[in-house]
Amino acid sequence: MMKKNNLYIIAILIISGLVGCEIHRSPELSITDDTYWKTENDLKLAANYFYRFLPGHNYDENWSDNSYGQSANNISDGSRSAPSSDSDYNNAYSLVRAANKLIEKSTELEGVLDDEAIERYQAEAYFFRAWAYFDLVKKYGNIQLVTKTLNDASPELYEPAVDRSVVFDLIYSDLDFAAEHLPSPEDISDADYGRVGNTTAWGLKARAALFEGTRAKFHNYGDASKHLTIARDASLKVIESGQHQLFQDYATMLRPEGEGPGNTENMLVRLYGISYDNRVSTHTFARNIEQHEVGPTISLVESYVMNDGLPIDKSPLYEKPNSSEDHFKNRDKRLHGTVFKKGDRFTTATPEYKTGSSQHGGFTFKKYFSYEDWDINSGILDRNIMRYGEILLIYAEATYELNSSISDDDLDKSINLLRDRAGIEKLSNGFVTSNGLDMRAEIRRERRVELAQEGFRYWDLIRWKTAEEIMPKEVLGNYFFEEYGEKDLMTNEDNLIILQSAERRTFNPEKHYLWPLPLNEIAKSEGALEQNPKW
């Protein structure tokens, strides 16, 4: 494991002491305000609080066709109803409030502290406000926009939601300020590893703009070209910064070997600790993986190309598998790095991975699996939230969707860097044409397999407006091979394990492309907020 400095964990994540509990205690930041906002360290400690909102290891992949857990998921199968309260909604606005507070209070220190110090932590606040608003708008659509701290009597609490275009304009403006005033990664010390830098701001801007650009294009609203241009240009800034490179080994990139500042593919991570004796947060994700709380589907596994660069329905190298190991023959190396195969090192209890129907769907994820975390059932493996590989994919997709074409040069500076690491043939316009492929489909395939189990797939289906086609389908696991023993799971006519039948799945395109607003928030707004359609 790349060694992590003890100080950066303490500096960023020890937020339940000093400032953290005081920030969370009430709607305002208070130790009290009169005594707290005095020094640069006060600003830094207040900014530390933002990092607690970064997502940890979770089961978001189960919302999509990439993964299934031990039971049905009411987001993926369309069975949920509008909730009374929603932590996703409330936590995002808590982050907005904390960011607004720091921005306001830091301006009172102008002339007292160095301008550069003030702007550094203002930039972190603007970054995280943009983060919160992007999370809100992609889920709920039009939302209330708050750019100052409020109290219970503030009239803004009763203002209607603004159009999503206004929210994205604020997101871009916030991230421009952040990128201008945040240090570059090379200027962030190892002790501050984990704090956002200017390339992270460009990366979030590119991520948000790709989402809105493609959503506008395929859902037919707004100015898709505006957002796609922003996505292309912001991702190109990251590429041309020279601050990031792909980690050499995809299989260990999101495992202990890929942790820490030595891996410059990392752009934003949720940190957990430097050792099992020195940690400030923990998780049990290795055990969750082993117990199949998340597990790959056959749809995901079969989306990986063969090493000749062709999908399985085009490649002469593909043969229908007769055993679980056959899936991995002549295949994209990313499949080996994402899914366990028979004989791989596994757990102390089971030193070599064995296949069987006890795996529910017949497959087990390998990404984010730590043997050490599994042994003590208390993990410190970081969660990667943004990495350079995603930026390369954003550049390729935004470029293609802007022009309905992409040059071989642009493919070489983006997707083909990922394909080279994966040990497969390059993607080019000639390759696509000569093999009867579709460039858009191949760009989307690259995104699916490169980012599998990283929480992107559901939102990709939403923005591409393909969820209505894909989500209602039955969810299938592996073939039920003889090696599994006596059949104890339902299979279809092709002998694939049925995880959830199509009869138990639905996706209403008039409803499910937006999440429902929490009922309590609608009531508290006294009519200012309206529920999303059909909820």
Side-chain angles (χ1 to χ4, degrees):
M1 181 187 298
M2 294 182 182
K3 184 174 178 61
K4 301 183 216 170
N5 188 296
N6 188 25
L7 294 178
Y8 73 72
I9 295 286
I10 295 173
I12 293 174
L13 291 177
I14 193 162
I15 53 182
S16 59
L18 289 178
V19 175
C21 63
E22 299 298 338
I23 292 175
H24 195 58
R25 181 191 301 165
S26 68
E28 305 293 341
L29 299 179
S30 58
I31 282 183
T32 64
D33 282 348
D34 291 339
T35 61
Y36 182 71
W37 301 96
K38 302 295 184 183
T39 68
E40 180 179 345
N41 193 54
D42 290 344
L43 294 180
K44 183 174 185 178
L45 288 172
N48 289 352
Y49 177 67
F50 305 146
Y51 291 84
R52 75 180 293 268
F53 291 90
L54 291 175
H57 297 283
N58 56 49
Y59 310 125
D60 290 4
E61 202 77 353
N62 289 347
W63 298 346
S64 75
D65 58 336
N66 275 2
S67 177
Y68 193 81
Q70 287 286 3
S71 59
N73 179 280
N74 66 5
I75 293 178
S76 70
D77 68 17
S79 64
R80 63 178 166 160
S81 57
S84 296
S85 61
D86 182 346
S87 60
D88 286 343
Y89 186 93
N90 293 332
N91 286 342
Y93 276 110
S94 293
L95 178 53
V96 167
R97 182 186 295 275
N100 286 339
K101 187 69 171 188
L102 188 148
I103 292 166
E104 290 175 1
K105 286 298 181 181
S106 63
T107 61
E108 298 176 8
L109 296 175
E110 293 175 358
V112 177
L113 298 182
D114 181 73
D115 287 347
E116 186 175 343
I118 294 172
E119 289 167 346
R120 160 73 184 272
Y121 297 109
Q122 285 179 338
E124 291 197 18
Y126 279 114
F127 175 89
F128 280 99
R129 188 170 75 176
W131 176 278
Y133 275 129
F134 177 48
D135 192 53
L136 285 164
V137 73
K138 77 178 181 181
K139 290 174 179 171
Y140 307 101
N142 299 342
I143 54 171
Q144 289 178 307
L145 202 60
V146 181
T147 57
K148 64 180 183 180
T149 54
L150 306 179
N151 57 47
D152 291 342
S154 297
E156 289 86 355
L157 294 171
Y158 308 100
E159 290 183 354
V162 301
D163 187 81
R164 60 189 300 131
S165 63
V166 178
V167 182
F168 274 96
D169 285 345
L170 180 68
I171 290 170
Y172 299 149
S173 175
D174 282 358
L175 291 171
D176 286 342
F177 183 95
E180 181 179 356
H181 297 289
L182 287 170
S184 64
E186 66 185 0
D187 293 326
I188 297 175
S189 68
D190 285 359
D192 271 342
Y193 173 70
R195 301 200 87 92
V196 294
N198 62 354
T199 58
T200 317
W202 290 329
L204 182 56
K205 187 178 183 182
R207 178 188 289 183
L210 180 70
F211 180 89
E212 190 62 3
T214 50
R215 195 181 192 282
K217 179 174 183 176
F218 297 111
H219 290 253
N220 194 28
Y221 67 86
D223 187 350
S225 293
K226 167 189 170 180
H227 300 289
L228 289 169
T229 300
I230 290 171
R232 180 198 61 192
D233 293 350
S235 57
L236 186 60
K237 282 186 177 182
V238 180
I239 293 169
E240 292 182 340
S241 74
Q243 294 290 301
H244 300 282
Q245 293 182 337
L246 295 178
F247 191 67
Q248 185 174 6
D249 183 16
Y250 183 88
T252 57
M253 171 185 62
L254 298 182
R255 302 178 79 183
E257 297 91 331
E259 292 189 303
N263 178 0
T264 62
E265 182 162 354
N266 296 336
M267 295 177 64
L268 183 62
V269 296
R270 168 68 184 267
L271 303 170
Y272 283 92
I274 58 172
S275 71
Y276 295 105
D277 296 324
N278 191 356
R279 54 190 167 181
V280 292
S281 187
T282 190
H283 58 82
T284 59
F285 203 58
R287 291 290 179 104
N288 299 146
I289 290 173
E290 185 250 345
Q291 293 164 7
H292 298 90
E293 298 298 331
V294 288
T297 62
I298 191 71
S299 173
L300 172 61
V301 170
E302 291 188 339
S303 66
Y304 291 82
V305 298
M306 308 303 289
N307 56 26
D308 59 6
L310 293 172
I312 62 173
D313 61 344
K314 295 280 189 179
S315 174
L317 298 176
Y318 178 74
E319 296 179 359
K320 184 177 178 179
N322 293 311
S323 71
S324 60
E325 293 173 89
D326 288 348
H327 285 294
F328 298 88
K329 291 180 178 178
N330 300 314
R331 213 64 178 273
D332 183 332
K333 289 180 181 178
R334 289 172 290 193
L335 178 59
H336 297 256
T338 304
V339 180
F340 277 104
K341 69 177 183 300
K342 187 177 179 180
D344 283 344
R345 181 188 174 191
F346 195 37
T347 69
T348 304
T350 309
E352 290 190 359
Y353 180 76
K354 298 177 182 178
T355 58
S357 60
S358 63
Q359 288 130 24
H360 193 44
F363 295 116
T364 303
F365 273 125
K366 197 173 191 178
K367 274 186 182 177
Y368 287 125
F369 187 86
S370 164
Y371 316 113
E372 296 81 6
D373 285 1
W374 186 93
D375 275 345
I376 67 169
N377 194 26
S378 184
I380 59 169
L381 180 64
D382 294 343
R383 161 80 191 277
N384 195 299
I385 297 168
M386 183 187 296
R387 60 183 179 87
Y388 187 52
E390 179 199 352
I391 302 303
L392 300 178
L393 291 163
I394 291 172
Y395 179 77
E397 185 178 351
T399 299
Y400 178 83
E401 294 299 346
L402 264 173
N403 309 311
S404 296
S405 64
I406 184 171
S407 69
D408 287 350
D409 285 344
D410 281 329
L411 288 169
D412 285 344
K413 73 165 59 170
S414 57
I415 279 177
N416 284 330
L417 298 176
L418 303 173
R419 287 171 77 99
D420 181 64
R421 177 169 66 177
I424 56 178
E425 290 294 320
K426 291 199 324 181
L427 189 65
S428 68
N429 286 278
F431 183 85
V432 166
T433 300
S434 63
N435 288 287
L437 302 174
D438 176 79
M439 183 63 80
R440 173 183 285 153
E442 294 311 304
I443 290 173
R444 290 181 177 183
R445 180 197 305 278
E446 283 296 313
R447 182 172 175 90
R448 184 180 190 183
V449 300
E450 175 70 27
L451 300 178
Q453 207 200 350
E454 297 181 44
F456 292 94
R457 177 67 174 173
Y458 169 81
W459 295 110
D460 289 344
L461 301 181
I462 294 295
R463 63 189 178 88
W464 294 332
K465 206 176 185 296
T466 56
E468 61 202 71
E469 170 194 348
I470 291 172
M471 301 296 274
K473 293 180 179 180
E474 64 182 349
V475 185
L476 300 171
N478 203 354
Y479 295 93
F480 198 100
F481 296 113
E482 289 185 6
E483 66 195 78
Y484 291 176
E486 184 177 351
K487 184 173 288 190
D488 56 357
L489 294 171
M490 292 286 293
T491 57
N492 68 5
E493 64 275 12
D494 295 319
N495 200 33
L496 290 165
I497 298 168
I498 299 174
L499 298 171
Q500 190 175 27
S501 66
E503 290 75 19
R504 300 182 67 85
R505 298 180 65 81
T506 186
F507 188 94
N508 182 350
E510 297 180 351
K511 176 180 181 181
H512 289 131
Y513 280 113
L514 290 174
W515 284 24
L517 292 171
L519 300 177
N520 289 345
E521 298 304 319
I522 294 175
K524 286 190 292 186
S525 76
E526 297 183 0
L529 291 178
E530 296 181 3
Q531 184 59 279
N532 281 322
K534 305 297 183 180
W535 286 102

